[in-house]
Amino acid sequence: MQSLPDFDLVLFGGTGDLAMRKLLPALYRRVAANQVSKGSRIIGAARSGLTRDEYLSQVEESCRKHIGKDFDREQWEQFARSVEYVKIDAQAERDFMALKKLLAGREECVRVFFLSTAPDLFAGICEGLAKADVVTPASRVVLEKPLGQDLQSSVQINERVGAMFSEPQIFRIDHYLGKEAVQNLLALRFGNMLFEPLWRRGRVQHVQITVAEDLGVERRAQFYDQTGALRDMVQNHLLQLLCIIAMEPPATGDPDAMRDEKLKVLRALRPLRGHDVQTKTVRGQYKAGAANGAPVVGYLDEKDVPRDSTTETFVALKVEIDSWRWAGVPFYLRTGKRLQERQSEIVITFEDVPHSIYERPDDAHAWNRLVIQLQPVESITLSVLAKSPGHGMRLKPVELSLDFRETFKDRPLDAYERLLTDVIKGTLTLFMRRDELDAAWAWIDPIREAWQHYEERPKAYTAGTWGPAAASALVSRDGFSWRNEL
Ligand code: NAP
């Protein structure tokens, strides 16, 4: 494994949920894998006045919890030696001087400023860094989603961040792109001849992308109520997955070659405006029900949610791509909270044979499909019809499972492990370029505007189900079913 260059990674929001649950355990794993040089440092930054020891004890507790049985005392000590803490209030210019002091004399090594804070702090932090004169040519800034609330706020953030960092220094993260199964989807598409000729209209019947969560809003209600499922999930994760499926083969493996192709897909999305929004989108909000066998409250009874909130906790969309490759192939996107299971998957259903000479199951059309599962486990399964044992040519579905864990034995990298190492190496392929983000917001904004115009409340669905009945109708109107409803 290639070791990383010496780096200083400054983790703004270093005491927050994302840092503790995902980022620091991911860095621990890279240290444990001997990929991080002894001279590298991880510097947590937040407003809390913690000593280094106090911070380390929070980080240790979190790493123990999230690394589980692989947690190792010796590896922890090696990791802990690289961890520092600095108290910075993003809104207090003078606080950045403490960071300047800590970084002094290390101008040559890679500097990563990972902003795991609310997005309204992004621009201020970048300006604070620039005023403290700690932005070097080898610096990178990582921006967590959501980048703004709409096109206008996203443009404002990007302009202010862009005044301090050049575009190749800006890493807009979408952790779905770091998942092993998404990487494998790319390998499958562009590393083999098998799928590419089939990857188009006339061969693909329809595509489904589901990102379902069984959790409710947890302790993020204040943020979530201002955001909703469309902006929290569709604008970034679901559209990015759609781009990976629908893009043309890039000419090279160069980051911009890939990002150019994704941008073309975003620009080819048929706009959903006015009446289309009523027929091609469904928004829902969960009411009381059950999760994992226990009763749970409805969204409006969650702490910090206004009793009259119209924020959607579920959204389903029928999306069309106006291109030669995809014209007429519907892409159905669905995401929500408090659904029946935590499950994220992409399902590509191929056209049925034009004429069958064998006895086939009634639902044969549903079995020519490729399922890329992202959660709870990452896998790729190809379903085909095969002959059932015995006399006669009766066909039955069988699954060809591409079990990467079985084949490759190595533990696959967690999405954040991959993305953090890419940032340190300076590889931009899996990060969103600014024009992609603008195109995604430009497509999303009219949907929200139309929802506001029609003033309909989101459709209620019972917690622990697969969302409102209208989401099933969206797909069944075209003669299809969501995979879990087959
Ligand atoms: P969080 O738990 O609320 O943590 C926020 C962090 O920001 C804390 O470390 C907080 O520490 C720090 N902070 C707040 N105000 C600050 C200020 N003025 N100056 C410096 N630091 C400040 O939030 P989170 O869940 O970790 O999320 C962080 C970002 O990642 C958000 O933009 C979120 O939308 C995004 N995100 C989160 C997740 C997730 O699973 N949590 C997933 C994807 C994206 P102090 O209070 O000590 O300052």
Side-chain angles (χ1 to χ4, degrees):
M1 188 181 317
Q2 194 191 354
S3 59
L4 297 168
D6 272 5
F7 65 85
D8 282 338
L9 187 151
V10 185
L11 185 47
F12 284 89
T15 55
D17 175 68
L18 184 67
M20 288 292 167
R21 224 162 31 83
K22 294 282 184 191
L23 305 175
L24 290 157
L27 289 162
Y28 165 97
R29 284 190 186 278
R30 288 301 88 210
V31 171
N34 281 327
Q35 208 184 356
V36 175
S37 64
K38 290 209 167 37
S40 295
R41 294 184 305 172
I42 295 150
I43 303 168
R47 281 172 310 183
S48 308
L50 301 172
T51 62
R52 178 172 178 268
D53 284 349
E54 284 165 341
Y55 183 60
L56 271 177
S57 93
Q58 285 185 21
V59 179
E60 180 176 354
E61 191 187 325
S62 174
C63 283
R64 277 183 186 280
K65 184 167 162 199
H66 296 288
I67 304 285
K69 62 177 177 37
D70 289 342
F71 185 88
D72 176 275
R73 187 79 231 157
E74 231 172 84
Q75 287 170 344
W76 161 257
E77 274 162 16
Q78 189 190 341
F79 175 69
R81 278 194 286 278
S82 64
V83 177
E84 304 278 348
Y85 180 79
V86 57
K87 177 191 168 309
I88 300 181
D89 180 341
Q91 283 151 334
E93 210 182 300
R94 65 179 184 287
D95 281 8
F96 286 81
M97 297 320 283
L99 182 62
K100 184 180 169 81
K101 218 165 131 191
L102 210 54
L103 295 175
R106 293 173 57 87
E107 285 69 22
E108 295 312 311
C109 66
V110 170
R111 265 181 203 174
V112 177
F113 302 106
F114 194 120
L115 311 193
S116 176
T117 65
D120 55 1
L121 296 178
F122 289 175
I125 293 175
C126 292
E127 284 156 9
L129 294 170
K131 280 188 193 144
D133 199 20
V134 293
V135 181
T136 56
S139 290
R140 282 127 215 201
V141 63
V142 186
L143 308 178
E144 254 298 341
K145 68 143 209 187
L147 258 161
Q149 287 281 298
D150 51 20
L151 178 59
Q152 195 190 0
S153 55
S154 161
V155 165
Q156 277 169 7
I157 294 174
N158 278 311
E159 301 238 308
R160 287 179 65 191
V161 172
M164 311 298 154
F165 291 88
S166 66
E167 183 62 27
Q169 291 179 298
I170 304 176
F171 289 68
R172 298 178 189 86
I173 211 162
D174 187 318
H175 71 272
Y176 272 65
L177 296 191
K179 287 183 178 288
E180 189 76 3
V182 175
Q183 305 292 294
N184 262 308
L185 171 59
L186 288 168
L188 213 63
R189 277 199 68 190
F190 304 132
N192 301 283
M193 260 317 278
L194 183 64
F195 290 105
E196 200 46 32
L198 304 178
W199 214 259
R200 61 193 63 246
R201 70 193 299 272
R203 294 290 180 261
V204 172
Q205 182 196 62
H206 75 282
V207 177
Q208 299 179 5
I209 305 176
T210 295
V211 177
E213 297 176 89
D214 54 356
L215 295 177
V217 283
E218 308 302 300
R219 45 182 210 92
R220 295 175 79 214
Q222 268 173 354
F223 157 80
Y224 194 84
D225 199 62
Q226 299 295 314
T227 308
L230 184 72
R231 294 191 279 199
D232 190 38
M233 300 298 288
V234 180
Q235 183 273 339
N236 36 65
H237 305 320
L238 278 89
L239 285 186
Q240 283 293 312
L241 293 176
L242 180 144
C243 286
I244 297 281
I245 301 162
M247 71 183 189
E248 295 296 322
T252 66
D254 177 68
D256 277 331
M258 170 105 107
R259 300 186 312 170
D260 287 345
E261 297 306 336
K262 287 200 285 156
L263 179 64
K264 284 185 208 160
V265 175
L266 290 166
R267 289 187 173 157
L269 295 179
R270 185 175 300 174
L272 287 174
R273 295 210 166 95
H275 183 63
D276 273 348
V277 171
Q278 285 192 302
T279 55
K280 294 180 185 171
T281 76
V282 175
R283 59 183 189 136
Q285 192 182 70
Y286 64 82
K287 57 182 184 176
N292 300 315
V296 292
V297 298
Y299 180 69
L300 297 180
D301 291 318
E302 297 275 17
K303 187 173 171 288
D304 295 331
V305 172
R307 297 295 162 253
D308 58 352
S309 169
T310 57
T311 299
E312 78 286 355
T313 60
F314 175 96
V315 55
L317 307 169
K318 176 179 174 179
V319 180
E320 286 150 289
I321 303 174
D322 288 329
S323 69
W324 276 43
R325 187 186 280 263
W326 294 115
V329 179
F331 285 65
Y332 301 100
L333 274 48
R334 170 177 71 156
T335 183
K337 290 201 175 286
R338 281 279 183 245
L339 297 182
Q340 194 166 316
E341 280 170 35
R342 174 170 173 258
Q343 187 187 68
S344 301
E345 64 177 23
I346 299 164
V347 183
I348 293 155
T349 304
F350 295 95
E351 291 285 3
D352 201 359
V353 292
H355 167 67
S356 178
I357 55 174
Y358 301 122
E359 191 186 332
R360 295 159 64 77
D362 289 342
D363 59 353
H365 62 278
W367 284 101
N368 277 309
R369 67 181 185 216
L370 182 70
V371 179
I372 299 110
Q373 194 163 62
L374 310 176
Q375 273 168 345
V377 286
E378 299 192 38
S379 67
I380 298 189
T381 308
L382 181 66
S383 303
V384 293
L385 290 174
K387 180 188 166 299
S388 184
H391 292 298
M393 283 297 284
R394 277 196 315 114
L395 302 190
K396 259 191 87 174
V398 291
E399 295 195 331
L400 306 176
S401 179
L402 311 177
D403 190 331
F404 303 110
R405 244 183 290 184
E406 260 306 299
T407 311
F408 296 115
K409 305 293 181 214
D410 294 347
R411 182 185 69 82
L413 293 194
D414 162 81
Y416 277 109
E417 284 179 76
R418 178 190 320 280
L419 295 171
L420 281 163
T421 48
D422 277 0
V423 173
I424 294 161
K425 287 190 249 168
T427 310
L428 280 155
T429 314
L430 298 176
F431 298 85
M432 273 182 283
R433 208 169 53 193
R434 180 176 168 176
D435 47 9
E436 282 182 76
L437 192 74
D438 290 350
W441 278 122
W443 188 78
I444 289 287
D445 282 354
I447 301 176
R448 279 189 41 250
E449 282 155 21
W451 282 348
Q452 277 157 10
H453 174 76
Y454 288 109
E455 284 185 0
E456 282 171 15
R457 280 200 62 78
K459 294 185 169 43
Y461 63 96
T462 305
T465 64
W466 281 105
S472 306
L474 178 80
V475 176
S476 64
R477 267 202 303 271
D478 295 337
F480 312 129
S481 305
W482 294 105
R483 190 172 81 96
N484 65 284
E485 292 173 352
L486 279 170

